[in-house]
Amino acid sequence: MDDYRRIADRIAADITGGRLRPGQRLPPQRAFARRHGIAPSTAGRVYAELVRRGLVVGEVGRGTFVRATAPDGQPGIALTEAAGAPLVNLELNYPSVPGQAGLLAPALAPLLRPDALGQALRPAPVAGTPAARESVAALLARSGLRAGPERILFTGNARQAIAATLAALVRPGGRVGVEPLTYPLVKEIAARLGLVLVPLAADAEGPLPDAVAAAHRAAPLSALYLQPALHNPTSRTIGAGRLRELADCVHRLGTPVVEDRIWAFLDTGGTPALAALAPGLVHLVDSLSKRVAPGLTVGFAVVPEDRVEAVARAVRSGGWSAGSFALEAAVRWLGDGTVDRLVAAKRQDARRRQRLVAERLAGFTVRSDPAAYFAWWELPAPWRADTFTAAARAHGIAVTPGTAFCVDPSRTPDAVRLGLGSVPEACLGRALETLAGIARGGAAGG
């Protein structure tokens, strides 16, 4: 029967039409059933359908609430009433530093000669060029990872590298172990590939090896996806001891790992990559987008020798290969020191922005790292993530609710992530002051 879908359609229309507001609590399922003259089991199916559509979120022991953002992460219709000032977007996180374009331009100038441009606009193979492989191998070696150039594959960006490695490792319906809070696009990739994400119990140091083993015993895990360095959204970096324990665990289980090191370039602590401890199982994913610029970037994966062709096939089938122009630009930026200069500048920039967070949000519970470009703000009672997100947007500021990162939709934290890298520093300081004022003001619908 489709009766429950028709009822869900009516509730969805109320949400998108603004009659049900962000953060508003739906009645308990039994009360909803009585009101609509349906069985409690049908009410349960209506609520499950609304959760599936991404319109509401259910929280254990608290109820079901209208989400503050639409399923694609863009503002919902009910949230388009912010004041006329431009939106201060703390959802995006594309760091840029003063003078960045000037640093990048000289290496590109030779590529604009007709002879060089013609070569640079030719298609590039998944393995890139010999110069690109050697440049990336040298980049990784500076962080302590010895990767043979023959193990390096290139994509247009890191998201494509993640998608390709997961597609090569996991069949549809396969289980992927992840941290309880994970990169939202991995949730989207898993949904598109038909993969099941399994949240792994973790503590302040990171995922627990015993939890990995227990999840694998319950039903085999086809792979793990982990962010050991400057985890997004919490900024946690797994220590060397826990990394060795995780490496021992995956060796015992024979479980491959996708290690996301997109933000690791900001970490100066010298923590080793998991790929260095388990090179036969770990598929390391990284890119130049955060180091350099998001508009012209290169993603890459360092994969075990026996997996190179499988991942290469996945890259080719997805159409995710890097362009020759981007590869040539990357080689030049890596070779002339441009990337190193940008990394140094962005490390300083991130620390300045974290000092702003510490000053403007003093007294609140904020989890972060002085090196990171984001902060995880555990909101004070009675705020909920969605009601705070809606209130912030009403003041012209976009933040990401904790629900975006949760793997288990029934366990949503009262927290938001603040992206610190995409707005000017002075604008960030004013936005943080505004958010602090909102938080101190309390929640109308908590």
Side-chain angles (χ1 to χ4, degrees):
M1 295 179 60
D2 290 332
D3 289 349
Y4 79 95
R5 289 195 179 92
R6 287 196 289 272
I7 298 172
D9 289 342
R10 292 200 296 271
I11 304 303
D14 287 342
I15 292 172
T16 57
R19 292 179 290 279
L20 287 174
R21 306 294 294 174
Q24 187 170 338
R25 181 176 179 174
L26 299 185
Q29 290 184 21
R30 288 189 177 277
F32 183 91
R34 288 195 299 271
R35 181 179 302 174
H36 291 271
I38 57 178
S41 60
T42 303
R45 297 179 76 182
V46 171
Y47 279 38
E49 176 66 13
L50 293 171
V51 169
R52 188 191 67 79
R53 297 183 191 182
L55 296 172
V56 303
V57 59
E59 301 181 9
V60 174
R62 299 181 64 176
T64 302
F65 299 85
V66 177
R67 291 190 62 171
T69 53
D72 61 359
Q74 298 301 315
I77 292 175
L79 292 179
T80 57
E81 299 171 4
L87 187 71
V88 178
N89 197 327
L90 303 188
E91 292 182 303
L92 299 178
N93 217 6
Y94 297 123
S96 179
V97 293
Q100 180 166 298
L103 284 173
L104 295 173
L108 295 180
L111 292 178
L112 301 182
R113 297 196 314 266
D115 57 333
L117 185 60
Q119 185 64 31
L121 294 180
R122 294 172 62 87
V126 177
T129 63
R133 292 194 296 274
E134 293 291 346
S135 295
V136 169
L139 174 70
L140 296 170
R142 290 202 292 273
S143 62
L145 181 65
R146 303 294 175 182
E150 70 283 354
R151 296 172 50 206
I152 299 172
L153 302 173
F154 293 91
T155 58
N157 55 48
R159 299 172 187 177
Q160 295 171 349
I162 293 170
T165 51
L166 286 174
L169 289 169
V170 190
R171 294 178 180 274
R175 288 160 42 92
V176 179
V178 295
E179 291 142 307
L181 298 171
T182 196
Y183 183 31
L185 278 170
V186 168
K187 295 166 59 177
E188 182 178 328
I189 290 168
R192 291 181 181 276
L193 295 177
L195 313 183
V196 178
L197 297 184
V198 180
L200 305 168
D203 60 14
E205 291 189 69
L208 296 164
D210 287 348
V212 177
H216 191 71
R217 284 195 301 271
L221 295 172
S222 299
L224 303 180
Y225 166 81
L226 302 175
Q227 303 173 75
L230 295 179
H231 170 264
N232 181 10
T234 66
S235 304
R236 178 229 63 226
T237 294
I238 300 176
R242 176 61 60 82
L243 276 178
R244 284 191 293 270
E245 293 173 359
L246 286 168
D248 290 343
C249 178
V250 297
H251 270 304
R252 289 194 306 272
L253 301 175
T255 304
V257 181
V258 179
E259 179 182 10
D260 182 342
R261 288 184 63 82
I262 295 171
W263 290 105
F265 74 94
L266 293 169
D267 178 27
T268 59
T271 304
L274 186 59
L277 303 175
L281 287 169
V282 176
H283 301 60
L284 182 147
V285 171
D286 202 344
S287 82
L288 296 183
S289 65
K290 306 301 184 186
R291 290 178 176 89
V292 181
L296 185 63
T297 183
V298 172
F300 52 89
V302 183
V303 304
E305 291 180 14
D306 62 345
R307 299 296 303 172
V308 171
E309 184 50 38
V311 176
R313 284 197 301 270
V315 174
R316 286 190 288 266
S317 67
W320 294 323
S321 300
S324 292
F325 189 91
L327 283 175
E328 183 59 32
V331 168
R332 291 169 179 268
W333 288 327
L334 287 166
D336 68 7
T338 297
V339 172
D340 289 339
R341 288 189 286 274
L342 286 173
V343 166
K346 289 181 181 182
R347 286 174 175 172
Q348 295 177 2
D349 183 59
R351 290 183 178 275
R352 288 196 303 271
R353 290 165 185 264
Q354 286 290 348
R355 286 195 289 272
L356 281 177
V357 172
E359 294 166 4
R360 303 298 198 272
L361 301 185
F364 294 105
T365 303
V366 180
R367 296 169 59 188
S368 195
D369 184 291
Y373 265 116
F374 39 83
W376 182 248
W377 185 2
E378 297 176 355
L379 299 167
W383 282 110
R384 294 176 50 258
D386 277 22
T387 52
F388 186 84
T389 301
R393 186 170 287 272
H395 285 75
I397 303 170
V399 300
T400 309
T403 50
F405 301 90
C406 284
V407 179
D408 182 350
S410 68
R411 298 185 179 277
T412 55
D414 294 324
V416 294
R417 193 206 70 167
L418 307 176
L420 311 178
S422 290
V423 300
E425 199 170 325
C427 180
L428 174 64
R430 292 192 295 271
L432 292 171
E433 287 180 356
T434 299
L435 293 175
I438 295 170
R440 293 188 182 100

